[in-house]
Amino acid sequence: MRNIAVTALIVYFSIFMVYPIYKAFAGSLHEWNPLVGTYNWVGLDNFKSVLSDGLFWKSLWNTAYFSVFSIVFRIILGLGLALLLSSRLVKAKDSLRGLFYMPTITPLVAVSFVWMWMFDPQFGMINKVTGLDINWLNDSHWALPAIIIMTIWKDFGYATVLYLAGLMNLPRDVYEAAQIDGANSWQTFWRITLPLLKPTTLFIVITSLITYVQAYVQILVMTEGGPGTQTYTISYLIFDQAFQKYDFGTASAMSVILFAITGVLTILMFRASGDMEQS
Amino acid sequence: MNLKRCVAACIATLSIISLAACGGGSGTSSGVTDTKTDKGLKVLGQNVTYDPNHLVNDGKPISVDYWTWGDKSTDPVFSLIKDYEKIYPNVKINVVTVTWDDYWTKLPLALKGKNGPALFNVHNSQDALLRPYLANYDIPIKDLEADYTNVNTHEVDGKVAYIDSVINTGNIYYNKTMWKEAGLSDSDIPKTWDQLVAVAKKLTKFNGSKMVQAGFNINGDSTYDALWQGLNYQKGELMFNKAGTKGNYDNAVTKENLQFLKDLYDKDKVGATNFGDDATQSFGNAQTAMVYRWGWMEGTMKEKYPDVDYGVFPTPTFTEETPFAYDRYNGESTAGINKNQSEEQQKVAQDFIKYMLANDDYQRYAVKALNSFPAKKSMQDDATILSNPVMAAIKPRIDRLIWPGPAPSTMETSPKQAFQNVFQNGTSISKAVSDAQAQIEKDMKSGSFTSLESKYAFYDEAAAKQ
């Protein structure tokens, strides 16, 4: 039985993981359109073309902007709510925890559509409630922040649940020692809770980073990269290049670059975390 | 590795392979056999004719697949399949619906193999993608040309693999209630853009400085990306260069027309960038008096905004003289036949196509489902069809509508970005147009598109200017 399971897993990963990754690497070196069967060797031309494309760099910048703000606010909100939910101030903890987690398990496409209506400049709830007059998704300054707001709302519940689990597992004796030493609440949080939650924070940062550099569904539904190219992220650009323009070669080259960037960032984060542990 | 392990590995591999191999396929059906050659039906058609009194597939049961992105209400082939299956009970045509977004990746991959659908819905914008898999129609081209308009634009080496079933173009949709409230009548229907601006001003309402009703709204998709081509054609500016291989977007006419549209908002104040983000929705919610839309708008209005009392008039021109072309048109395509399918399947598909093209009912179904003008010449004066206001608006202009061929999508997406850059991002018209041109050239670099503008009857009028 074990052998069957292992073989099935190996076959599964080979077909659905290893082969596609290999194909993307190989495809990045070709002029490639699988839909009509074009597959011509072009060497590094796709990479040269990508690296000299202004839209690629703009998309990369937008991805960084999107990821940094989404991750920072996901962590701040997630941690804040986890602390609140684990305190004695709040009752009905389980219900609230479930409530905050609900957006995380709601399909992103559905959430994006609902938020699109909420951002509508004429009928949308956001402008009605805030009294603002902003054409959120069609304004070059507000389109990307609007998508970030939606993403944070959808995802902070995930961080809350992870932080709650982290908080429950913190050693009580450290807190007792701090209390005896006369540490106030802020000192306890800053010197004990936060450092002890570092593995949880690191896990959230890395998983969020991997998720956010691949973000394109909300862009596709809410703005299609617009206005102009203001909300193009790297994954949306890859989608556009492959499935709108059928230029799979260039899209593969972009994917390889994205793969390298994500890999390097993850390694750097693990290293930084390791260094901090040692110090 | 011992024997047990080998067997286990083989079972697992075979299970996965068999799972992957599972899938539907068309072929011989276990249905009824047809023995009745004489159906007692008349021969259909004028030049392309179809005699239904024969057996299909020698009367033996057969099942073929038809792939489409449409449904009963938007794809006329649904109704025709029913009619065909009634005549030939041994033939079963299975309709497989795939959403538009998935259609253009799933269909070519299916057509690459031997079990792809024998028949499939075609959109001419995806010609390059489908062309390698299309079988030519087994109908003499002279017969098709005698019955249908614009057949020559689909001709490759004297054959066609699909033609236009119905054709469509843009018109102005206006809210009749607002029209009356503004004291306007049928005599105020504008013929020129200046007249439209004057009317739009009367139809625009403000509450203090806040616009509450737009006279003419171009916000969102489906206006500029379609309208820029029409505006340029009206002034005799072609979409592609003389060789037909390079997009012609960055030119003085494009800039002039984009400035004209910008002035509608900035100077004439008949609309505003922040007045909603979707002109269709705004028109449907009775906040906008006029929009430029293609035939699909009829269906949208019927389905989503049935209470709005609206009319349709032809898109204005810059002067009252006959322009080089009133607008671009686009044809809805007849179904394609898969050349990789078996001979038996292709024969049935060819028979079905002939039935489709000879049958006037197909045109009626198509006009109704797609709100488009019949491409079949014998149907172009049909009183019932012309009672539809969209058809009535298209009819007098039919000869002066131009089709540039299955233009690459960048000819719509790049100008759309230029429009957004000018209207929403504050980019100058020159820069936005030049950036879009660069994008168009980049996107078209590896393609093999050649424009069909030269096949337009009045092409020389514009070519002389270039």
Side-chain angles (χ1 to χ4, degrees):
Chain A
M1 195 61 207
R2 192 173 64 96
N3 290 334
I4 293 176
V6 170
T7 312
L9 274 175
I10 290 172
V11 173
Y12 172 83
F13 279 110
S14 303
I15 295 174
F16 295 107
M17 305 281 284
V18 179
Y19 179 70
I21 291 172
Y22 155 75
K23 197 72 187 160
F25 272 97
S28 68
L29 303 171
H30 291 81
E31 181 197 356
W32 179 28
N33 182 348
L35 305 179
V36 292
T38 315
Y39 199 67
N40 305 318
W41 172 261
V42 291
L44 293 174
D45 283 3
N46 287 332
F47 287 94
K48 283 180 202 158
S49 145
V50 168
L51 295 172
S52 61
D53 182 2
L55 187 55
F56 173 77
W57 293 106
K58 184 177 182 177
S59 304
L60 208 57
W61 166 252
N62 283 347
T63 307
Y65 179 89
F66 175 84
S67 302
V68 167
F69 277 93
S70 300
I71 292 171
V72 166
F73 282 97
R74 187 186 206 187
I75 285 172
I76 292 172
L77 273 176
L79 180 58
L81 272 167
L83 288 168
L84 202 66
L85 286 175
S86 63
S87 77
R88 290 187 202 127
L89 297 169
V90 176
K91 287 174 185 170
K93 290 185 171 68
D94 287 343
S95 310
L96 285 172
R97 196 165 45 191
L99 192 72
F100 291 134
Y101 195 65
M102 264 168 68
T104 310
I105 54 169
T106 312
L108 183 53
V109 173
V111 171
S112 302
F113 271 110
V114 172
W115 274 83
M116 240 172 90
W117 294 326
M118 285 169 51
F119 281 128
D120 187 289
Q122 287 180 306
F123 314 101
M125 202 185 87
I126 308 273
N127 277 0
K128 290 256 192 283
V129 169
T130 58
L132 295 168
D133 184 18
I134 299 173
N135 194 349
W136 291 91
L137 299 173
N138 289 287
D139 186 298
S140 58
H141 300 108
W142 287 106
L144 197 54
I147 294 170
I148 292 172
I149 290 169
M150 184 281 286
T151 307
I152 293 165
W153 175 86
K154 189 187 178 321
D155 290 347
F156 76 86
Y158 170 78
T160 305
V161 168
L162 285 180
Y163 274 125
L164 269 174
L167 285 168
M168 275 191 264
N169 289 323
L170 295 184
R172 294 292 109 194
D173 53 340
V174 184
Y175 285 93
E176 282 162 15
Q179 206 174 11
I180 292 164
D181 289 344
N184 63 26
S185 303
W186 175 249
Q187 286 169 327
T188 309
F189 169 73
W190 194 247
R191 307 264 171 148
I192 297 173
T193 309
L194 210 53
L196 287 176
L197 283 175
K198 206 173 67 185
T200 311
T201 307
L202 186 71
F203 178 77
I204 295 171
V205 170
I206 290 172
T207 51
S208 302
L209 185 74
I210 292 168
T211 307
Y212 292 146
V213 293
Q214 295 176 55
Y216 87 97
V217 173
Q218 54 269 65
I219 313 283
L220 177 69
V221 174
M222 297 173 82
T223 61
E224 291 182 344
T229 50
Q230 292 297 318
T231 56
Y232 263 73
T233 57
I234 195 74
S235 291
Y236 182 76
L237 183 65
I238 292 170
F239 163 80
D240 186 52
Q241 203 70 34
F243 295 100
Q244 303 290 323
K245 294 174 178 162
Y246 305 119
D247 180 0
F248 283 75
T250 308
S252 297
M254 288 172 179
S255 303
V256 169
I257 295 170
L258 180 63
F259 177 80
I261 292 171
T262 314
V264 167
L265 283 176
T266 309
I267 291 166
L268 284 177
M269 251 179 275
F270 272 119
R271 285 221 174 139
S273 150
D275 292 347
M276 278 157 75
E277 292 275 349
Q278 281 172 1
S279 65
Chain B
M1 196 189 272
N2 60 30
L3 187 66
K4 224 172 152 184
R5 284 184 177 182
C6 277
V7 171
C10 288
I11 291 171
T13 312
L14 281 172
S15 311
I16 288 166
I17 290 169
S18 58
L19 267 175
C22 282
S26 50
T28 308
S29 160
S30 55
V32 296
T33 303
D34 185 15
T35 51
K36 204 171 151 190
T37 307
D38 184 3
K39 315 282 181 188
L41 296 170
K42 283 183 193 167
V43 175
L44 300 171
Q46 292 88 41
N47 294 286
V48 177
T49 55
Y50 183 82
D51 184 357
N53 302 300
H54 68 277
L55 292 175
V56 173
N57 196 41
D58 298 328
K60 288 178 287 182
I62 188 163
S63 154
V64 299
D65 284 350
Y66 169 68
W67 278 32
T68 180
W69 63 84
D71 57 36
K72 264 186 230 170
S73 63
T74 57
D75 185 347
V77 175
F78 277 74
S79 304
L80 209 72
I81 286 173
K82 274 190 179 175
D83 297 348
Y84 187 80
E85 285 178 341
K86 265 187 208 162
I87 304 172
Y88 306 108
N90 62 315
V91 182
K92 172 81 187 129
I93 302 180
N94 306 306
V95 178
V96 178
T97 305
V98 182
T99 59
W100 170 270
D101 287 335
D102 289 339
Y103 193 80
W104 304 111
T105 44
K106 287 185 179 167
L107 179 68
L109 293 175
L111 294 175
K112 264 176 138 176
K114 290 194 171 167
N115 290 319
L119 287 159
F120 50 92
N121 201 352
V122 172
H123 195 276
N124 59 36
S125 64
Q126 304 295 333
D127 180 274
L129 207 58
L130 300 180
R131 184 60 61 182
Y133 312 111
L134 284 165
N136 287 322
Y137 282 180
D138 194 12
I139 303 171
I141 202 151
K142 64 171 178 40
D143 293 345
L144 283 167
E145 280 181 326
D147 277 351
Y148 286 86
T149 49
N150 308 315
V151 171
N152 66 330
T153 54
H154 299 287
E155 191 183 325
V156 178
D157 300 329
K159 297 268 183 190
V160 292
Y162 64 88
I163 59 168
D164 297 337
S165 57
V166 284
I167 57 181
N168 210 334
T169 190
N171 289 298
I172 306 290
Y173 287 69
Y174 70 103
N175 183 310
K176 286 187 172 175
T177 311
M178 292 177 186
W179 200 261
K180 274 181 210 153
E181 276 172 11
L184 298 164
S185 66
D186 284 354
S187 61
D188 295 301
I189 297 282
K191 287 189 177 138
T192 66
W193 284 107
D194 284 344
Q195 289 168 4
L196 182 131
V197 174
V199 166
K201 281 180 182 171
K202 290 181 187 168
L203 288 162
T204 308
K205 286 183 186 171
F206 290 89
N207 182 3
S209 61
K210 194 174 165 70
M211 184 177 285
V212 291
Q213 181 175 303
F216 185 58
N217 192 334
I218 54 174
N219 291 348
D221 293 347
S222 313
T223 302
Y224 183 72
D225 35 338
L227 183 59
W228 80 267
Q229 302 160 15
L231 294 181
N232 280 22
Y233 279 138
Q234 287 186 358
K235 291 183 177 173
E237 189 72 40
L238 294 167
M239 244 174 105
F240 296 92
N241 66 348
K242 260 191 174 174
T245 51
K246 192 176 151 190
N248 173 31
Y249 183 67
D250 188 359
N251 56 63
V253 173
T254 302
K255 290 176 194 165
E256 193 178 275
N257 290 339
L258 195 47
Q259 186 64 56
F260 162 72
L261 294 174
K262 186 96 173 81
D263 286 348
L264 286 176
Y265 280 15
D266 295 348
K267 288 185 184 165
D268 304 316
K269 310 274 183 204
V270 298
T273 311
N274 62 359
F275 192 71
D277 52 16
D278 180 359
T280 303
Q281 188 190 54
S282 188
F283 185 79
N285 288 327
Q287 291 183 311
T288 285
M290 292 187 289
V291 286
Y292 169 85
R293 287 289 178 267
W294 282 46
W296 55 264
M297 183 72 169
E298 286 261 305
T300 303
M301 294 305 290
K302 207 181 288 174
E303 194 186 319
K304 290 187 177 173
Y305 312 106
D307 299 330
V308 177
D309 184 17
Y310 69 93
V312 182
F313 61 81
T315 309
T317 47
F318 287 98
T319 67
E320 290 205 41
E321 285 170 25
T322 304
F324 164 67
Y326 285 100
D327 205 340
R328 175 178 71 100
Y329 81 82
N330 197 39
E332 300 291 346
S333 307
T334 53
I337 299 171
N338 177 3
K339 77 172 185 190
N340 289 339
Q341 252 299 353
S342 66
E343 201 181 320
E344 189 187 40
Q345 291 263 322
Q346 284 194 53
K347 254 177 127 176
V348 177
Q350 290 284 3
D351 189 75
F352 181 77
I353 292 294
K354 207 167 180 190
Y355 170 72
M356 172 194 275
L357 295 171
N359 193 343
D360 288 352
D361 281 346
Y362 172 58
Q363 287 285 289
R364 292 193 185 94
Y365 294 147
V367 167
K368 199 174 163 201
L370 300 159
N371 286 302
S372 304
F373 196 75
K376 196 169 193 180
K377 292 169 185 171
S378 61
M379 303 296 288
Q380 291 178 349
D381 292 314
D382 185 288
T384 318
I385 288 172
L386 292 177
S387 66
N388 178 321
V390 176
M391 308 306 144
I394 296 174
K395 163 81 179 159
R397 301 180 157 202
I398 196 79
D399 293 335
R400 283 270 178 183
L401 295 174
I402 178 171
W403 189 52
S409 60
T410 187
M411 294 307 293
E412 285 191 3
T413 54
S414 301
K416 185 173 91 176
Q417 283 180 353
F419 170 78
Q420 291 177 347
N421 280 332
V422 170
F423 278 71
Q424 278 135 7
N425 298 338
T427 311
S428 72
I429 287 177
S430 288
K431 178 159 179 16
V433 168
S434 135
D435 286 352
Q437 177 73 33
Q439 186 63 44
I440 287 168
E441 284 175 25
K442 188 175 164 229
D443 291 340
M444 287 183 70
K445 212 161 92 183
S446 54
S448 56
F449 172 80
T450 305
S451 156
L452 297 174
E453 284 170 325
S454 59
K455 294 201 174 188
Y456 178 56
F458 307 98
Y459 173 76
D460 291 344
E461 290 176 19
K465 279 187 192 177
Q466 295 229 313

